[in-house]
Amino acid sequence: MHDDLIARARAWQTEDPDPETRDELAKLIDSGDLTELSARFSGTLQFGTAGLRGELGAGPMRMNRSVVIRAAAGLAAYLKTHGHGAGTVVIGYDARHKSADFAHDTAAVMTGAGLKAVVLPRPLPTPVLAFAIRHLGAVAGVEVTASHNPPRDNGYKVYLGDGSQIVPPADAEIAAEIDAITSLNDVPRPETGWQTLDDSVLDAYLARTDAVLAPGSPRTAQTVYTAMHGVGKDTLLAAFARAGFPAPVLVAEQADPDPDFPTVAFPNPEEPGAMDLAFAKARETDPDLVIANDPDADRCAAAVQQDGEWRMLRGDEVGSLLAAHLVRRGATGVFAESIVSSSLLGRIAEKAHLPYEETLTGFKWIARVDGLRYGYEEALGYCVDPDGVRDKDGITAALLITELASVLKEEGRTLLDLLDDLAVEHGLHATDQLSVRVQDLSVIAQAMRRLREHPPADLAGLPVTRAEDLTQGTDTLPPTDGLRYTLTGARVIVRPSGTEPKLKCYLEVVVPVSDHAALPAARAQAARTLAAIKRDLSAAAGI
């Protein structure tokens, strides 16, 4: 076992094109660190519907140039098998460690395989890449990003020519092509032959951002903006300037790309503490709204002042606000969301006589809904211009929420006032999440098994009227690893995260509200019920 492990590590090291990871592996081999070598050679980083995502480092279980070259070669082989061997592949990347190298390697592999590779001019938001695929008529796109993961991670997100992320069976077919690559020496990687784009694609994307706003709408809301050390700032500022909004006040410490994300534990607006600097800037400048992007700017967070304090709006709150705004503007087409998002969107669509669809988790599913006009997911993802970007887009979402804040400001109202109106009209839809980050992935598997073998009969004193194991699929959903419990006046979904070592439980409580005066009592009741569901679910799952 020991000799076999060392032999595999040496074979990998011989082929590794990156001097940094070669040296890293040499040190592990020389020191005889079998524990660490085992962790890195216990398998291969699995290519799935999120593409690849993992910790940077040497070996097949880490993100590195060898793994990326194999992934690119597998994608190229898949495209050729499906009759796209002469097509264009567009490649974008964020500002994380190694992102530019991974983009360069991908371009070289595509060129070597006979495809036409074009690379975005510099680190840019993921939605610019998603836009570029359809704008350029590409057969596929690759975005090198780990989104809002910790600094040590990077990732590889694959889109096909329709401009949306891959779904089964494409992921398994690409994975099989990757597995078929025996040696990196078999993968041609010329030094030149691909094209680095100028700013014309970015300009075309920015020109489309105007389309999400109503002509002549108020553009008066003042904002504070943080890019969370990512790539959003320049694109968002350009979009806001084109739209005629006041220039956002920047959170200077987080404005420019920094792959070490020095001011935050996790560069995700949802994580505790991530918005502290933005709130400090808001207390100084008293804006109408705080806006944050995650590091690749495909997500958008919004925060408002409530009782003198700044608070983040939940993704479900922003999702409902944007839906109500689009309905008021006379939008037509399908409204869609994933099953883990608030059922309030369905109520809003029904009242407006608009078609509504529910999908599995992830924009790879939401973006595929026929006739989509608006889609959102509770994890701060919003698709407000599906004809331009078939993915979540934190830039256009920021424009739309700022337009809504401006419209309300002209009426002497706020986003919170509109949320109150929606609660009175449709019932208070209160959501929360129980999220457990683990070191050992078996903890998640054990919790799921425990819930399957002993499903709870009630939670927070509410009877479970229906327990569904989503691995079987439903009439409207393909199979997925998840559990859904329907309770009287509540709903719970439990699933492993697709991109992080987390077990996620999504909770929703619906409380009828007679009028605005009844809202405080309804909120208190919802908070008590959510807390009790969390407690009971934790016990049932053993987490």
Side-chain angles (χ1 to χ4, degrees), residues 263-352:
T263 67
V264 290
F266 291 96
N268 177 356
E270 292 181 292
E271 293 280 352
M275 295 290 287
D276 287 358
L277 287 170
F279 292 165
K281 181 59 74 175
R283 286 191 290 272
E284 276 174 41
T285 57
D286 197 31
D288 300 296
L289 193 60
V290 172
I291 288 171
N293 284 138
D294 68 338
D296 69 327
D298 62 351
R299 295 167 197 248
C300 174
V304 293
Q305 204 168 9
Q306 184 171 28
D307 303 326
E309 293 293 318
W310 283 90
R311 84 155 174 99
M312 273 269 294
L313 293 173
R314 290 187 169 279
D316 284 318
E317 291 177 314
V318 174
S320 304
L321 287 167
L322 293 179
H325 182 44
L326 289 170
V327 166
R328 183 173 166 181
R329 275 180 31 185
T332 56
V334 182
F335 279 29
E337 64 181 340
S338 61
I339 55 172
V340 298
S341 306
S342 170
S343 58
L344 178 54
L345 183 69
R347 305 271 177 99
I348 292 169
E350 184 182 19
K351 180 99 184 256

Side-chain angles (χ1 to χ4, degrees), residues 299 315-316 319 336-341 359-363 366 374-383 392:
R299 295 167 197 248
D316 284 318
E337 64 181 340
S338 61
I339 55 172
V340 298
S341 306
T359 72
L360 291 185
T361 311
F363 268 82
I366 295 170
Y374 168 64
Y376 98 90
E377 187 154 79
E378 54 71 47
L380 312 182
Y382 314 94
C383 175
K392 53 188 179 290

Side-chain angles (χ1 to χ4, degrees), residues 339 360 448-449 452 467-475 477-484 493-496:
I339 55 172
L360 291 185
M448 294 297 287
R449 188 168 60 247
R452 284 192 169 103
E468 297 167 278
D469 186 342
L470 299 177
T471 48
Q472 310 304 309
T474 71
D475 295 345
L477 297 170
T480 187
D481 185 9
L483 299 164
R484 178 162 61 181
I493 291 173
V494 184
R495 61 179 279 273

Side-chain angles (χ1 to χ4, degrees), residues 12 16 18 20-25 28 36 40-41 45 54-68 97-98 102 151-154:
W12 182 275
D16 190 340
D18 188 334
E20 273 184 55
T21 41
R22 271 205 312 273
D23 291 350
E24 190 183 311
L25 210 44
L28 291 174
E36 188 60 29
R40 289 160 184 250
F41 285 86
L45 209 53
E55 192 175 335
L56 289 162
M61 286 295 287
R62 298 284 183 268
M63 279 297 294
N64 51 62
R65 289 182 59 196
S66 298
V67 164
V68 163
H97 293 295
K98 298 283 182 189
F102 295 165
R152 64 176 183 273
D153 290 0
N154 212 329

Side-chain angles (χ1 to χ4, degrees), residues 64-224:
N64 51 62
R65 289 182 59 196
S66 298
V67 164
V68 163
I69 289 165
R70 287 169 186 274
L75 173 60
Y78 167 87
L79 292 170
K80 290 165 89 164
T81 302
H82 285 264
H84 300 303
T88 296
V89 178
V90 58
I91 301 151
Y93 58 103
D94 67 10
R96 284 177 178 264
H97 293 295
K98 298 283 182 189
S99 287
D101 293 341
F102 295 165
H104 175 272
D105 283 329
T106 302
V109 170
M110 294 301 162
T111 304
L115 288 130
K116 183 183 176 201
V118 296
V119 185
L120 294 185
R122 59 185 168 283
L124 285 166
T126 294
V128 177
L129 180 276
F131 166 80
I133 295 163
R134 298 177 71 206
H135 179 69
L136 297 172
V139 296
V142 170
E143 176 70 16
V144 180
T145 180
S147 189
H148 56 279
N149 275 38
R152 64 176 183 273
D153 290 0
N154 212 329
Y156 198 80
K157 191 184 279 194
V158 176
Y159 298 76
L160 292 180
D162 61 357
S164 49
Q165 296 172 50
I166 53 167
V167 293
D171 56 341
E173 291 178 36
I174 295 168
E177 296 283 8
I178 294 169
D179 290 343
I181 294 153
T182 50
S183 166
L184 286 194
N185 300 328
D186 301 336
V187 181
R189 301 198 310 280
E191 291 293 315
T192 57
W194 56 89
Q195 179 189 359
T196 300
L197 296 168
D198 59 18
D199 275 357
S200 56
V201 168
L202 176 62
D203 293 341
Y205 166 82
L206 285 168
R208 262 210 82 88
T209 61
D210 302 350
V212 305
L213 302 172
S217 63
R219 313 273 165 98
T220 53
Q222 304 275 347
T223 53
V224 159

